Amino acid sequence: PAVARINNGSFGCCPSSVLSAQNQLQLQWLRQPDNFYFNQLQPKIIQSRTIIKDIINADHVDEVSIVDNATTAAAIVLQQIAWGFAEGKFCRGDAAVMLHYAYGAVKKSVEAYVTRAGGYVIEVPLPFPVSSVDEIVKEFRQALRRGKQNGRKVRLAVIDHVTSMPTVVIPVKELVTICREEGVDQVFVDAAHGIGCVDVDMKQIGADFYTSNLHKWFFCPPSVAFLYCKKSTNNSDLHHPVVSHEYGNGLAIESAWIGTRDYSSYLVVPKVLEFINRFEGGIEGIKKRNHEYVVEMGQMLVKAWGTRLGCPPEMCSSMVMVGLPACLGISSDHDALELRTCLRDKFGVEVPIYYRPPKDGEEGGVVTGYARISYQVYNKVEDYYKFRDAINQLVDNAFTCASLPIS
């Protein structure tokens, strides 16, 4: 209670009613694992998959697999691409395109699977701060065309729905349409922040693969995510990276048993839905209010500090980038991390800080530090006032990041 946690985006939150339901499932397993394994586990997982299918407007429950997190989902899709190179379906040098601001773990997975297999990876440079959707669309089109130079084919496009850091909502429907026009083989949308944060409709988005964590904005305990695989896409080569007894029975079945472990986070989705429906408008109402509040709080902060938001309000989700006073002297990723630690330890504020290097030609006094603030149902206005006052105190004390200890 003493901490202003305005960072729901990193790890999410789970209500006590869901934690209690999870504990009961864990006890049922431990008391009689044989009965639970043979009679309850798979029907309960199918129940969770069915709820997810309905929420994301998928055609069939077979299109929905439950996995640990979005990073696991990325490994599943990228592993298939690596096999395409290894088995000669793709030519060495064929391309994969991803955003420069793709999540770090996904970038590492692209390196591990695609680059190592012989693929040519193109990163789409995105401006930040960003002023319009058109800027993103323009850069994406140019990247796809670079990918097709010299007779190469673009085998995969990895598109974030909501970038993590800096955070901005990406126009996924437009980019998927462009991919189809440009002959991209497959499109994978990494929406770690998707469900409960932005509109998630598989028919409208039209991607081959879409993943979202359920523990970030959908109130599940960590860790659980879904991976949607479009039925019309050839998914016979999709497999869970952990091979167990169900190998070859389809990704959804493989993912539902990868050895003895705690599957309780997969099974509480019905209880989560029950919790969500206690709020006016259900998940749509929560999402709408969170967006409105985070924009309001972001605008309050930039007004107090004389800075700006990292993107227009319509390109925000339940998170927004807020410019910090330039006088704080944030000049490296290390400064950003140390300032975050200072805010946590000395002021009881938990918020990620992003360092944006100055662009060519920018003079002194430019904003190089941005805070990513989140808003979830447990947050209060006082949390953001606490953050505002902490930064104001640092400014009044003539604090700069140069005074932070070197660790």
Side-chain angles (χ1 to χ4, degrees):
V3 176
R5 183 172 182 255
I6 49 179
N7 182 32
N8 190 82
S10 284
F11 301 107
C13 61
C14 186
S16 57
S17 60
V18 174
L19 290 174
S20 178
Q22 181 187 31
N23 182 246
Q24 289 302 309
L25 289 162
Q26 290 168 330
L27 290 175
Q28 288 176 40
W29 163 261
L30 293 170
R31 285 169 177 158
Q32 177 48 297
D34 304 83
N35 177 62
F36 198 91
Y37 171 76
F38 284 106
N39 297 320
Q40 297 188 58
L41 180 60
Q42 296 311 317
K44 288 180 182 296
I45 288 179
I46 290 174
Q47 185 182 10
S48 292
R49 288 169 53 207
T50 301
I51 290 172
I52 296 165
K53 185 269 290 185
D54 292 341
I55 290 173
I56 68 173
N57 195 26
D59 279 324
H60 199 278
V61 70
D62 288 346
E63 296 178 313
V64 178
S65 302
I66 299 183
V67 296
D68 285 351
N69 50 47
T71 306
T72 302
I76 290 168
V77 174
L78 294 169
Q79 178 180 248
Q80 181 202 42
I81 298 298
W83 285 335
F85 283 102
E87 295 170 355
K89 297 175 184 176
F90 305 153
C91 295
R92 191 171 186 84
D94 280 353
V97 172
M98 67 178 176
L99 306 186
H100 173 68
Y101 292 127
Y103 188 57
V106 174
K107 279 191 171 185
K108 291 290 186 182
S109 292
V110 170
E111 177 185 339
Y113 289 105
V114 180
T115 306
R116 188 175 179 186
Y120 176 67
V121 178
I122 295 174
E123 291 191 16
V124 182
L126 297 180
F128 182 80
V130 62
S131 299
S132 71
V133 164
D134 292 342
E135 291 178 285
I136 296 173
V137 171
K138 177 183 176 182
E139 292 289 350
F140 191 77
R141 282 189 184 277
Q142 291 176 349
L144 288 185
R145 286 165 186 166
R146 288 198 303 275
K148 296 196 296 183
Q149 288 175 350
N150 302 318
R152 289 191 300 253
K153 293 188 176 181
V154 180
R155 298 300 183 177
L156 179 71
V158 181
I159 304 171
D160 300 67
H161 198 159
V162 183
T163 56
S164 176
M165 187 69 93
T167 185
V168 62
V169 177
I170 301 297
V172 289
K173 287 185 286 186
E174 291 91 330
L175 298 193
V176 171
T177 299
I178 292 169
C179 286
R180 303 307 183 201
E181 293 170 353
E182 296 290 340
V184 176
D185 279 9
Q186 295 182 322
V187 182
F188 169 48
V189 176
D190 174 14
H193 294 275
I195 191 168
C197 192
V198 287
D199 293 339
V200 179
D201 186 314
M202 295 304 98
K203 292 186 180 67
Q204 288 187 11
I205 293 170
D208 299 285
F209 311 107
Y210 186 104
T211 186
S212 175
N213 289 319
L214 300 175
H215 53 261
K216 284 187 181 288
W217 295 97
F218 197 69
F219 302 100
C220 280
S223 60
V224 57
F226 74 84
L227 173 59
Y228 162 85
C229 304
K230 193 174 183 180
K231 207 168 182 60
S232 59
T233 303
N234 182 9
N235 294 324
S236 59
D237 283 341
L238 283 176
H239 296 284
H240 197 284
V242 177
V243 176
S244 192
H245 296 284
E246 298 292 353
Y247 181 82
N249 290 328
L251 179 62
I253 303 303
E254 288 183 18
S255 301
W257 183 261
I258 53 172
T260 302
R261 51 163 294 166
D262 183 359
Y263 291 92
S264 60
S265 60
Y266 292 22
L267 310 181
V268 294
V269 173
K271 193 68 176 179
V272 169
L273 188 61
E274 182 181 311
F275 170 79
I276 286 170
N277 286 337
R278 288 162 44 187
F279 292 82
E280 182 183 352
I283 195 63
E284 294 301 317
I286 291 172
K287 184 173 61 181
K288 180 176 182 293
R289 289 187 293 273
N290 285 348
H291 167 73
E292 291 171 351
Y293 287 139
V294 82
V295 169
E296 182 182 346
M297 293 300 97
Q299 290 172 335
M300 178 273 294
L301 291 171
V302 297
K303 182 178 180 180
W305 298 331
T307 58
R308 61 170 289 183
L309 298 179
C311 66
E314 62 269 19
M315 296 180 72
C316 302
S317 55
S318 301
M319 303 181 291
V320 64
M321 302 300 292
V322 176
L324 293 167
C327 62
L328 294 176
I330 301 169
S331 60
S332 66
D333 291 332
H334 177 267
D335 284 351
L337 185 60
E338 290 298 319
L339 178 58
R340 178 179 182 175
T341 301
C342 173
L343 288 167
R344 178 192 304 123
D345 293 347
K346 294 185 178 180
F347 297 96
V349 174
E350 188 61 64
V351 63
I353 308 294
Y354 173 72
Y355 167 62
R356 189 209 71 132
K359 298 177 182 177
D360 291 342
E362 287 185 336
E363 302 294 335
V366 67
V367 173
T368 56
Y370 285 78
R372 187 191 76 183
I373 64 169
S374 300
Y375 199 105
Q376 184 53 290
V377 296
Y378 58 82
N379 283 122
K380 299 179 175 61
V381 172
E382 289 73 22
D383 296 331
Y384 306 88
Y385 290 162
K386 188 174 184 178
F387 180 34
R388 177 198 63 190
D389 295 345
I391 294 296
N392 286 344
Q393 184 177 328
L394 290 175
V395 171
D396 291 344
N397 293 340
F399 164 92
T400 69
C401 286
S403 65
L404 289 167
I406 298 174
S407 57

